Amino acid sequence: MTGRLARPKGLGLGLRSVAGQVFALQAVIVVVLVTVGALALIFQTRYDSEREARNRSLAAAEAFAHAPGLIDALKTPDPTAVLQERAETARRAAGLDFLAVMTPDGIRYTDSRPELIGERTTGDIARARAGESFTEIFTGEPTDAVRAIVPVRTEDGDIVGLVGTGIEIENVGNVVEGQLPLLLGTAAGALLLAVGGAALVSRRLRRQTHGLGPLEMTRINEHHEAVLHAVREGVLIIDADRRLLLANDEARRLLDLAPDAEQRHVTELGLGPGTAALLASGRAATDEVHRAGDRLLAVNVRPTEPYRGRPTGTVMTLRDTTELATLTGRAAITRGRLQLLYEAGVRIGTTLDVVRTAEELTEVAVPRFADFVTVELLEPVLRGEEPSGAYTEMRRTALTGTRDDHPLQPVGDAIRCVVPTTPMARALDGGHAVRVTDLHTAEGWQAQDSEGATAALEYGFHSLLAVPLLARGVVLGMANFWRADTPEPFGEEDLSFAEELTARAAVSIDNARRFTREHTMAVTLQRSLLPRVLPALSAVDVAFRYLPAKAGVGGDWFDVIPLPGARVALVVGDVVGHGLHAAATMGRLRTAVHNFSTLDLPPDEILGHLDELIDRIDQPEAGDADGGSETDGIDGEGAQPRDRMTGATCLYVIYDPADGRCTLARAGHPGPALVHPDGRVEFPELPAGLPLGVGGMPFESTELRLPEGSRLVLFTDGLVEDRERDFDAGIVLLGEALSRPGRSPEQACADVLTALLVPAPDDDIALLVADTRRLDPERIAQWDVPADPSAVGRVRNAGAAQLAAWKLDDIAFTAELILSELITNAIRYGAEPIRVRLLRDRRLICEISDGSSTAPHLRYAATTDEGGRGLFLVAQFAERWGTRYTERGKVIWAELPLTTGAGPEAAMNSLAPDLDALEDLAW
């Protein structure tokens, strides 16, 4: 049905309904028939009256014309006297309006109206004179009438007179009018009876047609014909007793119904058990799938609307969905393949790791495309190198299957393609996928490894797709898709899908290979630039961790630099960016820090020198166009602009174990964590400072006095900050990880990484944990020296006594020599206050400080010079020496090993000069 038909309210005979129109038509027909009948009766009555009048007139005229004595009376001299009375009597007896006896010429002898006697009659009487009797409707004077004229004959046949009789037309009409009430009454009764019958018939018809109009009835008929014969959807109409009322042609075809199926119960129609039960239950159903022979039918059942409160039955519609199910299955497979390709684009290549990318390919394809997938890659690809072009031997890199008890070679095995007819070798040689629908026929595959092939066939492997992994036209390896549990072999359409899937994976594997190569080079470079072994120091006990980012090596670095006076410099830094450039920049910065540290400058001055250095390095070279177009070739694949070093950060810390002072300065880097001996963690506030290379603002140093046994923790922001964790949250976690006392620096490093390290860090991580120590006061000796040359000997003797107490007699002579030269220099060229300090650490450290900032210079004295050789002697006999500047002067220091060979002392003994005399050799 195309739509629901409106049903008029009530049972009135509206003219829009078929019943109303039938009633109106019947009423009109009845009125017309009754009217025509009444008129016919009237005309028939009038006709009968006229005919009767004719007959009566003619009969009376004939009777009077043949009456005895008429001829004799006509022969008398006064026929009127004789015949007038007799004529009137006969007229009245016959019920006529007039009776006249006339001469053959029409002169009246008698008449019902005496004034007309002797007058000639009007009208045509020629026929009567000719001997013919006739009747006619006469119109004229003296009145309109139905008259008859009969000739009067003698025995000889002569016409001797005429007899005219008649009835006036008015009297004939009166007869009809007298019957008219009866006729009209009869017609009205017939009309009422006919209209009433038509109304009853129309009312009954309206109930049957439900008040529908002609258009609706026409549409219903069209729909009925369409449903029965044209609609390609089966329709069954079942009554309330569950008997079949109607089945269209499509339903008969789909259900194979018998020709006489109507009026049978639904259980007797030969339907399937499920379909028959559904119809018998009377419940509604929507698109339920039922089987009818080899067809799948979508069944819909709906109850019909009740009529007068009584159930009327149900309607079932059927659709053949067999082909639709097939097409739907194909569409579902295509949709699933597209979804699988989309997931492959999302899931493959997420880590830039060659092995993991191969594993992702196998995980995507199993079990939605294949039951088992193996990926074999060339050895150079696994190492990140360019493929050599030889692919007869590969390494199994990934394997995923629906079961674990498979006979396939495990990951790590070498896979060889030595038989050229194997599907794998053909795929690699041809550069396209090769499909094997039945592995029992793959003779080359069985010939290459008969034992393995037999085990695979016995396991259930029956179909294979061998697809080469191609990127930029170069073979990286291959992927093999196997089917064992899925009964269907790979089809022709699976070839293009497998090639598309592996093409996407090959691009990701090639990207991962390139990344692996660059990552390996960057890691190698960076590890070569970072300290491999930290120096052994008395000031701190140090442990460190360095972890490169998974996405690429960055520029994080650290260093532990011994400084004069048993001090140590702890440094961490971070160069923004990743890759080789960041690693190379880090190496340049670390070298610069080492160089600047030899100047023994405060942390803020070292950062200032680094900032100036970076700014100078970033200046364009003379040959650069436009002031900054210098480019570096990358892998011979083109040139890229050289990156600037701007963006490096650094934290520089100097710790002095003699008094526990810690001087710190930072350039845009996170400050250190200070762990007190009781486990309390503090993050000291330091002046932030701009990153190195930005320039414009000086750096500031902060000095802290560390409690004995404190721990300093230096780190880069990659440790505490990640895409899923902000800096503040990371600082809280770091504080919690460091708050447990009683652990070594190595244990502290492990605990920190356990608490903060994410599976795939986005940035490099550098962590430096240093437990600080104090020098034993007994290892420190110091004296104030007056600006008097005579004090040199006293201080030298005091130093000799201290060396003897420290059991350093082996180096006492050298130490006394150096002390004498340095003290003499301070007295002659320096300024007060002058102080001498001896530190017994891993080396003997001699320090002479004074209030002058004049720097000593080593020079070669001429043979004729009387002085200038003292500093030369210090440089010869000290392991290291130098000068550092303080806020109120400078410190000249020299370091000697705690033990010495016989060389210097023997040389001095051979010279045998007096130490007092050596003072004259000072500069």
Side-chain angles (χ1 to χ4, degrees):
M1 296 296 181
T2 59
R4 186 177 179 85
L5 300 176
R7 182 176 297 175
K9 298 180 179 179
L11 295 176
L13 299 178
L15 292 180
R16 296 183 61 183
S17 66
V18 172
Q21 293 184 13
V22 169
F23 170 75
L25 181 61
Q26 287 178 330
V28 170
I29 293 174
V30 167
V31 170
V32 171
L33 290 177
V34 171
T35 302
V36 171
L39 292 175
L41 288 175
I42 292 173
F43 286 121
Q44 182 66 37
T45 301
R46 189 176 184 87
Y47 173 75
D48 291 343
S49 298
E50 289 180 355
R51 187 176 62 178
E52 182 182 1
R54 287 173 180 268
N55 293 335
R56 286 171 56 195
S57 298
L58 181 61
E62 289 284 353
F64 196 79
H66 293 87
L70 177 60
I71 298 174
D72 294 336
L74 291 173
K75 294 178 179 181
T76 63
D78 189 6
T80 300
V82 178
L83 296 175
Q84 178 66 23
E85 185 64 27
R86 291 174 58 186
E88 284 298 315
T89 302
R91 179 188 67 82
R92 288 193 291 270
L96 301 176
D97 289 331
F98 64 87
L99 191 153
V101 179
M102 299 170 289
T103 65
D105 295 331
I107 302 300
R108 294 183 181 88
Y109 289 130
T110 64
D111 198 282
S112 57
R113 297 172 62 178
E115 66 272 15
L116 296 177
I117 295 174
E119 297 291 331
R120 185 182 292 277
T121 186
T122 58
D124 185 13
I125 60 173
R127 290 184 294 169
R129 286 203 303 265
E132 177 183 357
S133 299
F134 69 90
T135 60
E136 65 176 352
I137 302 298
F138 173 76
T139 58
E141 294 296 336
T143 183
D144 297 338
V146 176
R147 72 178 182 178
I149 298 178
V150 177
V152 178
R153 296 174 181 270
T154 63
E155 292 180 359
D156 296 333
D158 297 332
I159 297 174
V160 294
L162 300 174
V163 176
T165 59
I167 300 173
E168 294 180 358
I169 294 298
E170 182 179 356
N171 292 332
V172 174
N174 290 337
V175 174
V176 177
E177 291 176 358
Q179 296 179 352
L180 188 59
L182 178 60
L183 292 175
L184 293 178
T186 303
L191 178 62
L192 290 176
L193 183 61
V195 170
L200 292 176
V201 172
S202 298
R203 191 178 185 88
R204 178 67 175 177
L205 178 62
R206 188 187 185 285
R207 290 196 185 98
Q208 297 296 325
T209 60
H210 300 282
L212 300 176
L215 293 178
E216 288 85 352
M217 294 293 292
T218 302
R219 288 173 59 192
I220 287 177
N221 182 68
E222 293 174 351
H223 296 172
H224 182 267
E225 292 297 323
V227 169
L228 281 179
H229 308 298
V231 171
R232 306 311 300 170
E233 183 170 321
V235 177
L236 296 178
I237 299 179
I238 312 298
D239 65 9
D241 296 331
R242 302 294 179 259
R243 293 186 177 276
L244 178 64
L245 293 180
L246 182 143
N248 68 348
D249 296 346
E250 184 67 8
R252 292 178 180 276
R253 184 184 70 84
L254 294 177
L255 298 177
D256 195 20
L257 296 178
D260 58 345
E262 280 82 357
Q263 299 305 320
R264 288 187 182 182
H265 196 272
V266 294
T267 58
E268 301 173 357
L269 298 177
L271 305 178
T275 308
L278 175 61
L279 287 176
S281 66
R283 65 178 177 86
T286 301
D287 287 338
E288 289 190 8
V289 178
H290 292 256
R291 181 174 291 279
D294 57 350
R295 300 185 181 95
L296 293 177
L297 304 180
V299 178
N300 291 273
V301 179
R302 292 290 185 275
T304 57
E305 291 189 2
Y307 179 66
R308 291 188 173 183
R310 292 175 298 178
T312 57
T314 56
V315 175
M316 170 187 279
T317 60
L318 312 166
R319 293 194 316 274
D320 189 352
T321 61
T322 307
E323 295 182 1
L324 179 61
T326 303
L327 294 176
T328 303
R330 293 179 180 175
I333 292 174
T334 303
R335 185 168 57 251
R337 296 288 171 82
L338 292 175
Q339 180 66 24
L340 188 57
L341 286 178
Y342 170 76
E343 292 182 8
V346 174
R347 294 174 55 185
I348 297 177
T350 60
T351 61
L352 287 176
D353 179 80
V354 173
V355 175
R356 181 54 192 155
T357 303
E359 292 173 349
E360 289 170 343
L361 169 60
T362 63
E363 292 168 359
V364 165
V366 175
R368 295 166 60 181
F369 179 65
D371 299 324
F372 293 86
V373 178
T374 61
V375 175
E376 292 82 42
L377 297 178
L378 300 176
E379 291 284 357
V381 175
L382 292 172
R383 296 192 299 267
E385 302 172 1
E386 286 287 343
S388 61
Y391 44 77
T392 56
E393 181 172 338
M394 294 175 286
R395 184 72 57 184
R396 176 149 293 170
T397 309
L399 190 158
T400 300
T402 56
R403 290 179 284 169
D404 296 331
D405 58 343
H406 56 80
L408 298 175
Q409 291 179 255
V411 173
D413 275 16
I415 306 298
R416 297 176 177 83
C417 299
V418 293
V419 178
T421 58
T422 62
M424 297 78 172
R426 289 161 49 203
L428 292 173
D429 292 336
H432 56 78
V434 172
R435 176 172 63 102
V436 180
T437 57
D438 187 1
L439 286 174
H440 292 84
T441 62
E443 298 178 357
W445 173 65
Q446 298 179 28
Q448 178 169 274
D449 183 7
S450 59
E451 183 178 349
T454 301
L457 293 174
E458 292 176 353
Y459 185 80
F461 287 98
H462 61 84
S463 186
L464 167 67
L465 275 179
V467 188
L469 290 167
L470 299 173
R472 299 176 291 112
V474 178
V475 175
L476 305 178
M478 72 178 310
N480 295 313
F481 301 89
W482 309 79
R483 280 187 178 175
D485 300 330
T486 304
E488 296 82 7
F490 287 108
E492 190 68 30
E493 66 277 3
D494 294 326
L495 280 174
S496 58
F497 174 78
E499 289 180 340
E500 176 68 20
L501 182 62
T502 53
R504 298 190 180 193
V507 172
S508 299
I509 290 175
D510 191 51
N511 291 338
R513 178 195 63 79
R514 291 185 172 192
F515 172 80
T516 300
R517 179 187 61 182
E518 185 171 335
H519 186 269
T520 302
M521 294 171 59
V523 169
T524 302
L525 174 62
Q526 185 154 20
R527 292 195 182 279
S528 67
L529 297 174
L530 289 173
R532 298 182 180 180
V533 179
L534 296 181
L537 302 170
S538 300
V540 290
D541 184 11
V542 180
F544 67 91
R545 293 289 188 275
Y546 171 76
L547 296 177
K550 294 296 184 182
V553 174
D556 291 13
W557 56 282
F558 65 92
D559 213 337
V560 178
I561 305 173
L563 298 178
R567 295 171 304 133
V568 63
L570 306 175
V571 191
V572 291
D574 185 2
V575 175
V576 176
H578 296 84
L580 291 174
H581 175 77
T585 301
M586 177 274 295
R588 298 163 79 179
L589 281 179
R590 180 169 177 257
T591 301
V593 169
H594 267 273
N595 292 334
F596 291 136
S597 296
T598 59
L599 301 177
D600 208 350
L601 300 175
D604 56 335
E605 293 187 26
I606 288 183
L607 293 180
H609 285 295
L610 288 174
D611 183 66
E612 182 181 357
L613 173 65
I614 290 178
D615 186 64
R616 186 167 59 250
I617 291 176
D618 279 341
Q619 293 297 323
E621 297 181 2
D624 292 348
D626 299 329
S629 61
E630 181 182 349
T631 58
D632 296 326
I634 305 298
D635 295 338
E637 298 177 0
Q640 298 180 353
R642 186 183 65 189
D643 296 332
R644 292 172 59 87
M645 294 174 62
T646 303
T649 64
C650 183
L651 171 63
Y652 196 95
V653 179
I654 296 178
Y655 174 67
D656 189 347
D659 53 9
R661 283 184 305 164
C662 182
T663 308
L664 311 91
R666 63 172 176 158
H669 198 88
L674 174 59
V675 184
H676 292 267
D678 59 357
R680 181 170 55 90
V681 180
E682 177 186 356
F683 294 91
E685 289 291 337
L686 304 181
L690 297 176
L692 299 175
V694 175
M697 294 294 291
F699 299 98
E700 299 180 48
S701 293
T702 299
E703 187 173 291
L704 303 176
R705 185 76 65 170
L706 302 184
E708 187 173 358
S710 299
R711 173 174 289 171
L712 279 173
V713 180
L714 285 70
F715 55 90
T716 55
D717 58 357
L719 177 68
V720 295
E721 191 173 18
D722 192 77
R723 67 178 64 181
E724 299 178 357
R725 181 179 63 215
D726 59 18
F727 183 84
D728 294 335
I731 287 295
V732 172
L733 291 177
L734 177 60
E736 294 175 354
L738 295 172
S739 62
R740 288 172 288 177
R743 293 168 302 160
S744 67
E746 285 289 340
Q747 293 172 335
C749 287
D751 291 345
V752 167
L753 292 182
T754 300
L756 281 86
L757 187 63
V758 296
D762 298 327
D763 198 3
D764 289 15
I765 294 174
L767 174 65
L768 193 63
V769 177
D771 282 356
T772 62
R773 300 193 187 100
R774 288 284 188 90
L775 287 180
D776 191 341
E778 295 182 356
R779 292 173 174 264
I780 304 174
Q782 55 185 0
W783 302 274
D784 292 330
V785 180
D788 183 0
S790 62
V792 175
R794 296 195 303 271
V795 175
R796 185 180 62 240
N797 293 333
Q802 184 64 55
L803 292 174
W806 286 340
K807 298 180 180 179
L808 298 177
D809 296 332
D810 290 346
I811 61 171
F813 178 80
T814 306
E816 290 179 32
L817 173 62
I818 292 174
L819 278 175
S820 297
E821 294 302 324
L822 295 180
I823 295 172
T824 301
N825 177 70
I827 292 175
R828 288 184 177 181
Y829 304 105
E832 291 184 325
I834 301 173
R835 176 170 295 179
V836 175
R837 186 171 73 164
L838 294 180
L839 301 175
R840 185 183 185 278
D841 191 30
R842 297 176 183 272
R843 291 173 177 80
L844 178 64
I845 304 169
C846 303
E847 295 181 347
I848 293 85
S849 62
D850 65 82
S852 172
S853 59
T854 302
H857 297 283
L858 178 64
R859 66 186 179 87
Y860 290 93
T863 55
T864 58
D865 291 341
E866 295 182 357
R869 296 176 179 82
L871 194 58
F872 175 75
L873 292 176
V874 172
Q876 289 295 314
F877 291 106
E879 188 175 60
R880 289 196 313 160
W881 74 279
T883 304
R884 72 173 181 271
Y885 295 91
T886 63
E887 295 179 357
R888 296 181 179 83
K890 64 179 180 295
V891 176
I892 302 176
W893 55 271
E895 291 183 359
L896 289 81
L898 298 182
T899 59
T900 183
E905 186 175 358
M908 291 304 297
N909 289 333
S910 63
L911 295 174
D914 186 10
L915 290 178
D916 293 329
L918 288 176
E919 295 172 8
D920 296 333
L921 301 176
W923 64 97

